[in-house]
Amino acid sequence: MNKEKLIEIRRELHQIPELGFREYKTQEYLLKTIAEMNLPNIQVTRWKTGLFAFVEGLNPKQTIGYRTDIDGLPIVEETGLPFSSQHQENMHACGHDIHMTIALGALYEVASNPVDDNILFIFQPAEEGPGGAEPIMNSETFKQWKLDKIFALHIAPELPVGTVSSRAGILFANTSELFIDFKGKGGHAAYPHLTKDMIVTASTFVTQLQQIISRKIDPLDSGVITIGKMTAGTVQNIIAEKARLEGTIRTLQPETMTVIKSELERFIEGFQLSYDCEIAVDYGAMYYQVYNESNCVNQFQEIINSTDLTYIEANAAMTGEDFGYFLKEIPGFMFWLGVDSEYGLHHSKLNPDEEAIIAGVKAVTETIRRID
Ligand SMILES: [Zn+2]
Ligand SMILES: [Zn+2]
């Protein structure tokens, strides 16, 4: 597929961002685009709002999976581009439009110029939430293909076009959402002794919470607890009966996530006693770490070094990706693709350089052809 066609596809997808498990127009668009390619030996299967495209190999020794995510974010676009989102409230602000375009480009290359191995292209819904990878892994549809390897990419705004970046071992952290609800007793602002003030309780909780990181985690290991939102109360002269904290936990090791959660629960027990209130915790969506298998990454690096693309060794990051669920069961890796955008991921002005699509198709196609 030529560059103009790929850019056209990307711009069309960019205009129809949809949230997790509501990717109806996106799914239709993908099905239509794949059908128009008129490819032999390809079998397309819908799965919820995503789909699978299986390409049979000429002489298969293995089945390789390649995954793209397909969902957008609840962000109002502010790029001012002529092909901006037509869905007022949503935007492809994490580059999943670029990811899908690269997958379609690679699908075209691999199916029109067949390779030895079987390839399964996975168009996965709901990466941003509530998570599509784990339900795919558990589905009977997916299990039938028995993948030997799997890989995926994510755009990297801070890297130049023409570069890719990865590392053996951990690439993305274990993440968990965190919601904590406090319930006490409201009342008149002038009679605090007759109430159980949840603004005082929740704010004390927030300031003490970081001690879990500083006193319970090995300093050579790493963890983050961030409270990003705090809501409480009704008006200035009523003592708040309820408070809610919303945040996230991130760790470089799965065991550390368990430690933080159990310490957090002990904290909560203590607070319930001290402040005579009820506290409920909900962890929401959890993503397993992205852990790259070293043999796959070494091969990938060699493959990239034989092209005109540049390989850069990556650092681990505290960001999360639900691709980790695939890597928990199937050996493989994820890599960053440079797209050189002034604004970062999840920013309303994210504007990836479309030249990166060509680099992405090349990196993915060459890897599929040569990895063993
Ligand atoms: Zn994202
Ligand atoms: Zn993303």
Side-chain angles (χ1 to χ4, degrees):
M1 225 185 298
N2 64 31
K3 188 165 97 183
E4 288 67 35
K5 180 66 185 165
L6 289 166
I7 289 176
E8 181 191 317
I9 290 174
R10 184 264 159 156
R11 293 183 177 187
E12 285 173 353
L13 284 167
H14 188 76
Q15 292 177 57
I16 55 164
E18 296 166 297
L19 301 183
F21 291 126
R22 282 181 255 164
E23 302 94 333
Y24 305 109
K25 286 188 201 171
T26 307
Q27 187 189 47
E28 284 313 309
Y29 184 88
L30 293 169
L31 287 167
K32 180 184 72 110
T33 308
I34 294 170
E36 283 169 4
M37 289 180 189
N38 231 337
L39 299 165
N41 303 328
I42 134 164
Q43 174 198 332
V44 178
T45 313
R46 282 176 196 250
W47 181 84
K48 295 188 190 273
T49 46
L51 51 100
F52 300 108
F54 182 76
V55 186
E56 206 177 313
L58 297 171
N59 181 22
K61 285 191 287 294
Q62 59 176 348
T63 301
I64 302 171
Y66 179 72
R67 172 274 207 171
T68 173
D69 35 21
I70 69 169
D71 55 327
L73 284 157
I75 291 177
V76 178
E77 180 162 357
E78 290 183 316
T79 60
L81 292 167
F83 54 89
S84 286
S85 169
Q86 289 172 1
H87 295 176
Q88 289 273 306
E89 304 300 317
N90 301 342
M91 176 186 175
H92 270 301
C94 201
H96 301 183
D97 52 341
I98 302 273
H99 300 174
M100 284 186 271
T101 309
I102 291 169
L104 289 169
L107 172 63
Y108 179 83
E109 295 301 324
V110 170
S112 56
N113 204 346
V115 294
D116 282 343
D117 292 326
N118 296 324
I119 320 291
L120 180 71
F121 285 86
I122 304 159
F123 294 83
Q124 181 214 302
E127 191 283 322
E128 301 286 359
E134 202 178 19
I136 283 182
M137 288 294 295
N138 293 332
S139 74
E140 292 305 315
T141 319
F142 178 73
K143 284 178 188 164
Q144 68 177 303
W145 285 296
K146 300 183 177 58
L147 300 189
D148 297 290
K149 274 189 191 73
I150 190 162
F151 71 112
L153 65 75
H154 203 291
I155 64 160
E158 68 286 2
L159 295 179
V161 173
T163 62
V164 298
S165 181
S166 191
R167 75 192 297 268
I170 193 149
L171 188 67
F172 290 171
N174 297 275
T175 73
S176 170
E177 294 177 343
L178 177 61
F179 303 97
I180 307 174
D181 283 292
F182 296 75
K183 190 169 182 300
K185 189 174 174 221
H188 196 290
Y191 302 97
H193 57 296
L194 302 178
T195 69
K196 295 164 189 172
D197 185 344
M198 289 305 105
I199 285 188
V200 170
T201 309
S203 36
T204 312
F205 189 91
V206 171
T207 56
Q208 295 195 7
L209 191 60
Q210 295 303 333
Q211 288 177 20
I212 295 178
I213 301 297
S214 67
R215 301 291 87 175
K216 299 292 179 187
I217 303 301
D218 182 339
L220 298 181
D221 186 10
S222 241
V224 176
I225 306 178
T226 291
I227 300 296
K229 187 177 176 185
M230 180 171 181
T231 42
T234 47
V235 290
Q236 51 85 15
N237 61 355
I238 297 178
I239 285 174
E241 179 164 311
K242 289 179 184 171
R244 179 173 167 86
L245 305 177
E246 300 182 27
T248 173
I249 310 171
R250 273 118 207 271
T251 68
L252 289 183
Q253 302 198 56
E255 300 77 29
T256 312
M257 179 64 77
T258 313
V259 170
I260 289 180
K261 286 184 174 173
S262 69
E263 290 298 333
L264 186 75
E265 283 152 28
R266 281 155 66 102
F267 236 69
I268 287 173
E269 275 177 40
F271 263 74
Q272 290 188 129
L273 274 178
S274 310
Y275 292 84
D276 191 17
C277 62
E278 285 165 35
I279 307 175
V281 62
D282 173 12
Y283 297 116
M286 281 171 256
Y287 286 171
Y288 195 75
Q289 64 189 15
V290 170
Y291 195 92
N292 288 337
E293 201 249 358
S294 57
N295 176 36
C296 287
V297 176
N298 293 341
Q299 287 192 60
F300 175 66
Q301 185 174 355
E302 269 175 37
I303 292 165
I304 293 301
N305 285 341
S306 71
T307 69
D308 57 356
L309 303 174
T310 305
Y311 181 91
I312 301 170
E313 183 74 9
N315 292 320
M318 280 292 185
T319 45
E321 239 291 347
D322 79 345
F323 185 63
Y325 284 110
F326 289 108
L327 294 182
K328 197 177 171 190
E329 309 288 336
I330 307 164
F333 69 102
M334 185 164 211
F335 69 97
W336 292 107
L337 174 74
V339 295
D340 195 16
S341 164
E342 188 185 341
Y343 297 94
L345 299 175
H346 293 206
H347 195 287
S348 57
K349 291 183 180 170
L350 174 81
N351 185 15
D353 185 336
E354 292 172 327
E355 293 291 327
I357 296 170
I358 301 299
V361 172
K362 184 184 286 178
V364 172
T365 310
E366 287 300 309
T367 304
I368 290 173
R369 287 190 191 290
R370 292 166 55 186
I371 199 163
D372 58 36

